[in-house]
Amino acid sequence: MNFPPPGRFPPLILDDVRGAQKMLSGVAKVTPLEGSRHLSALVGAPVQFKCENLQRTGSFKLRGAYVRISGLTPVERAAGVVAASAGNHAQGVALASALLGVRSTVFMPVGAPLPKIAATREYGAQVRLHGHVVDETLAAAQEYAHETGAVFIHPFDHPDIIAGQGTVGLEILDQCPEVRTIVVGIGGGGLAAGIAVAVKAVRPDVRIIGVQAAGAACYPPSLAAGRPVSIGSLQTMADGIKVGRPGDVPFGLVRELVDEVRTVSEDELSSALLLCLERAKMVVEPAGASPVAALLSDPKSFRGPVVALLSGGNVDPLLMQRILTHGMSAAGRYLSLRLRLTDRPGALATMLGVLTVADANVLDISHVRTDPRLGLTEAEVELHLETKGPEHCEEVAAALRGAGYLVMD
């Protein structure tokens, strides 16, 4: 598929997505659908995960990158390609280029996670670290394209990219013909636009809901304005959908075909990631968990059967550790409190015995015996506990109060 320069693209249609699907045969995996009993119970209808976190390179990005690079002319291929990305698009471009025998250069931020940098190199790309934010990296990649003649591969703002991502929608229709709602994370909009083009052409009754992180939600103001607008500060752990402005090409398709765009909080993203890991045994990055976060935040508002797209699983282990801690806190799995006790030998051991009976695990403890706020025979203990959830937190606090301790918070 060869398209004219940006600004003069013809409308994307179902045949474009079907053509992309043929092109990707034997290249991209047909990723599985996995049911979620927990979410199905909350929604009151079947909920399944479309597991693009199990795709080659760990995300859906290979689909669009391969279709885009496949459409280059021999002269363009000889010049090589260049991309800018903090992770998923970088790996997709690197692998697609290697499969097609095209030289690739990928600019990545200086602070990009080391596993993503290593994976991009292993797929065959030359990696250049530049800038501390994606906008700086993007500018460097575009300058490189201008200087060398390499073709810049945009992560979402091109019909070939959108057609490739839309093949996910065709697979969903084939795997779950009875689907009534598809929930998908939105960054620049390429994935949601492609899925919408494919699904709405075949099943216009299917409701498509996009999800953005509240701290990086460029689509709600853009949809309100009727055109892509840039937002200022971007604050979210979901790097995969951390985009400050919708793409020109996907914006029109999202505005026309996506039924609703919702936002989710950081706490909801953390809880969703934790649910994917604990209940579904799925390693999912925050952006990939955004549809799950939307389902958890308002489960009864979704018409089933529902397919939630887990768009990627490339998460840095250090970030995963922080996110899981945050998610456990948001889910009420940690309890922090202070209490007063009599300062006498064995008093601390007695208090810990109460916690043992209550089945609470002590993560950290601070025992203060000398403080102007304390009486002569008093001591104060600050506890950080691991619990089984909000109800268990209440039971632990009640057990301490029942044992005669003054629980201060």
Side-chain angles (χ1 to χ4, degrees), residues 196-219:
V197 167
V199 172
K200 290 291 189 177
V202 180
R203 287 277 310 282
D205 60 301
V206 173
R207 185 168 175 80
I208 299 177
I209 297 177
V211 183
Q212 292 208 287
C218 61
Y219 263 89

CSV table of all heavy atoms in Angstrom, one decimal, residues 196-219:
chain,number,residue,atom,x,y,z
A,196,ALA,N,-11.1,0.3,14.9
A,196,ALA,CA,-12.5,0.9,14.6
A,196,ALA,C,-12.8,0.8,13.1
A,196,ALA,O,-13.9,0.4,12.7
A,196,ALA,CB,-12.5,2.4,15.0
A,197,VAL,N,-11.8,1.0,12.2
A,197,VAL,CA,-12.0,0.9,10.8
A,197,VAL,C,-12.5,-0.6,10.4
A,197,VAL,O,-13.4,-0.8,9.7
A,197,VAL,CB,-10.8,1.3,10.0
A,197,VAL,CG1,-10.9,0.8,8.5
A,197,VAL,CG2,-10.6,2.8,10.0
A,198,ALA,N,-11.7,-1.5,11.0
A,198,ALA,CA,-12.0,-2.9,10.7
A,198,ALA,C,-13.3,-3.4,11.2
A,198,ALA,O,-14.1,-4.0,10.6
A,198,ALA,CB,-10.9,-3.8,11.2
A,199,VAL,N,-13.5,-3.1,12.5
A,199,VAL,CA,-14.7,-3.6,13.2
A,199,VAL,C,-16.0,-3.0,12.8
A,199,VAL,O,-17.0,-3.6,12.5
A,199,VAL,CB,-14.5,-3.5,14.7
A,199,VAL,CG1,-15.8,-3.9,15.5
A,199,VAL,CG2,-13.4,-4.4,15.2
A,200,LYS,N,-16.0,-1.7,12.7
A,200,LYS,CA,-17.2,-1.0,12.3
A,200,LYS,C,-17.7,-1.3,10.9
A,200,LYS,O,-18.9,-1.2,10.6
A,200,LYS,CB,-17.0,0.5,12.5
A,200,LYS,CG,-16.9,1.0,13.9
A,200,LYS,CD,-18.2,0.9,14.7
A,200,LYS,CE,-18.1,1.6,16.1
A,200,LYS,NZ,-19.4,1.5,16.8
A,201,ALA,N,-16.8,-1.6,10.0
A,201,ALA,CA,-17.2,-2.0,8.6
A,201,ALA,C,-17.9,-3.3,8.6
A,201,ALA,O,-18.8,-3.5,7.7
A,201,ALA,CB,-15.9,-2.0,7.7
A,202,VAL,N,-17.6,-4.2,9.5
A,202,VAL,CA,-18.2,-5.5,9.5
A,202,VAL,C,-19.4,-5.6,10.6
A,202,VAL,O,-20.4,-6.1,10.3
A,202,VAL,CB,-17.2,-6.6,9.9
A,202,VAL,CG1,-17.8,-8.0,9.9
A,202,VAL,CG2,-16.0,-6.5,8.9
A,203,ARG,N,-19.1,-5.0,11.7
A,203,ARG,CA,-20.1,-5.0,12.8
A,203,ARG,C,-20.3,-3.6,13.4
A,203,ARG,O,-19.7,-3.2,14.4
A,203,ARG,CB,-19.6,-5.9,13.9
A,203,ARG,CG,-19.7,-7.4,13.6
A,203,ARG,CD,-21.1,-8.0,13.9
A,203,ARG,NE,-21.5,-7.6,15.2
A,203,ARG,CZ,-21.1,-8.2,16.3
A,203,ARG,NH1,-20.3,-9.2,16.3
A,203,ARG,NH2,-21.6,-7.8,17.5
A,204,PRO,N,-21.1,-2.8,12.7
A,204,PRO,CA,-21.3,-1.4,13.2
A,204,PRO,C,-21.9,-1.3,14.5
A,204,PRO,O,-21.9,-0.3,15.2
A,204,PRO,CB,-22.2,-0.7,12.1
A,204,PRO,CG,-22.8,-1.9,11.4
A,204,PRO,CD,-21.8,-3.0,11.4
A,205,ASP,N,-22.5,-2.4,15.0
A,205,ASP,CA,-23.2,-2.4,16.3
A,205,ASP,C,-22.2,-2.6,17.5
A,205,ASP,O,-22.6,-2.3,18.6
A,205,ASP,CB,-24.2,-3.5,16.4
A,205,ASP,CG,-23.6,-4.9,16.2
A,205,ASP,OD1,-23.0,-5.1,15.1
A,205,ASP,OD2,-23.7,-5.8,17.1
A,206,VAL,N,-21.0,-3.0,17.2
A,206,VAL,CA,-20.0,-3.2,18.2
A,206,VAL,C,-19.6,-1.8,18.8
A,206,VAL,O,-19.2,-0.9,18.0
A,206,VAL,CB,-18.8,-4.0,17.7
A,206,VAL,CG1,-17.7,-4.0,18.8
A,206,VAL,CG2,-19.2,-5.4,17.3
A,207,ARG,N,-19.6,-1.7,20.1
A,207,ARG,CA,-19.2,-0.5,20.7
A,207,ARG,C,-17.7,-0.5,21.0
A,207,ARG,O,-17.2,-1.4,21.6
A,207,ARG,CB,-20.0,-0.3,22.0
A,207,ARG,CG,-19.8,1.0,22.8
A,207,ARG,CD,-20.8,1.2,23.9
A,207,ARG,NE,-20.5,2.4,24.7
A,207,ARG,CZ,-20.9,3.6,24.3
A,207,ARG,NH1,-21.5,3.8,23.1
A,207,ARG,NH2,-20.6,4.7,25.0
A,208,ILE,N,-17.0,0.6,20.6
A,208,ILE,CA,-15.6,0.7,20.8
A,208,ILE,C,-15.3,1.8,21.7
A,208,ILE,O,-15.7,2.9,21.5
A,208,ILE,CB,-14.8,0.9,19.4
A,208,ILE,CG1,-15.1,-0.3,18.5
A,208,ILE,CG2,-13.3,1.1,19.6
A,208,ILE,CD1,-14.5,-0.1,17.1
A,209,ILE,N,-14.6,1.5,22.8
A,209,ILE,CA,-14.3,2.4,23.9
A,209,ILE,C,-12.8,2.6,24.0
A,209,ILE,O,-12.1,1.6,24.2
A,209,ILE,CB,-14.9,2.0,25.2
A,209,ILE,CG1,-16.5,1.9,25.1
A,209,ILE,CG2,-14.5,2.9,26.3
A,209,ILE,CD1,-17.1,1.4,26.4
A,210,GLY,N,-12.3,3.8,23.8
A,210,GLY,CA,-10.9,4.1,24.0
A,210,GLY,C,-10.6,4.5,25.4
A,210,GLY,O,-11.5,5.1,26.1
A,211,VAL,N,-9.4,4.3,25.9
A,211,VAL,CA,-9.0,4.6,27.3
A,211,VAL,C,-7.7,5.3,27.3
A,211,VAL,O,-6.7,4.9,26.7
A,211,VAL,CB,-8.9,3.3,28.1
A,211,VAL,CG1,-8.6,3.7,29.6
A,211,VAL,CG2,-10.2,2.5,28.1
A,212,GLN,N,-7.7,6.4,28.0
A,212,GLN,CA,-6.4,7.2,28.2
A,212,GLN,C,-6.1,7.4,29.6
A,212,GLN,O,-7.0,7.4,30.5
A,212,GLN,CB,-6.5,8.6,27.5
A,212,GLN,CG,-6.6,8.5,26.0
A,212,GLN,CD,-6.1,9.8,25.4
A,212,GLN,OE1,-6.7,10.8,25.4
A,212,GLN,NE2,-4.9,9.7,24.7
A,213,ALA,N,-4.8,7.5,29.9
A,213,ALA,CA,-4.4,7.9,31.3
A,213,ALA,C,-4.9,9.3,31.5
A,213,ALA,O,-4.7,10.2,30.7
A,213,ALA,CB,-2.9,7.7,31.5
A,214,ALA,N,-5.5,9.6,32.7
A,214,ALA,CA,-6.0,10.9,33.0
A,214,ALA,C,-4.9,12.0,33.0
A,214,ALA,O,-5.1,13.1,32.6
A,214,ALA,CB,-6.6,10.9,34.4
A,215,GLY,N,-3.6,11.6,33.3
A,215,GLY,CA,-2.5,12.5,33.3
A,215,GLY,C,-1.9,12.8,31.9
A,215,GLY,O,-1.0,13.6,31.8
A,216,ALA,N,-2.4,12.1,30.9
A,216,ALA,CA,-1.9,12.3,29.5
A,216,ALA,C,-3.0,12.1,28.5
A,216,ALA,O,-2.9,11.4,27.6
A,216,ALA,CB,-0.8,11.3,29.3
A,217,ALA,N,-4.1,12.8,28.8
A,217,ALA,CA,-5.4,12.5,28.0
A,217,ALA,C,-5.5,13.7,26.9
A,217,ALA,O,-6.1,14.7,27.2
A,217,ALA,CB,-6.6,12.5,28.9
A,218,CYS,N,-4.9,13.5,25.8
A,218,CYS,CA,-5.0,14.5,24.7
A,218,CYS,C,-6.3,14.4,23.9
A,218,CYS,O,-6.7,15.3,23.2
A,218,CYS,CB,-3.8,14.4,23.8
A,218,CYS,SG,-3.6,12.8,22.9
A,219,TYR,N,-7.0,13.2,23.9
A,219,TYR,CA,-8.2,13.1,23.1
A,219,TYR,C,-9.4,13.8,23.5
A,219,TYR,O,-10.1,14.4,22.7
A,219,TYR,CB,-8.5,11.6,22.8
A,219,TYR,CG,-7.9,11.1,21.5
A,219,TYR,CD1,-6.6,10.6,21.4
A,219,TYR,CD2,-8.6,11.2,20.3
A,219,TYR,CE1,-6.0,10.2,20.2
A,219,TYR,CE2,-8.0,10.8,19.1
A,219,TYR,CZ,-6.7,10.3,19.1
A,219,TYR,OH,-6.2,10.0,17.9
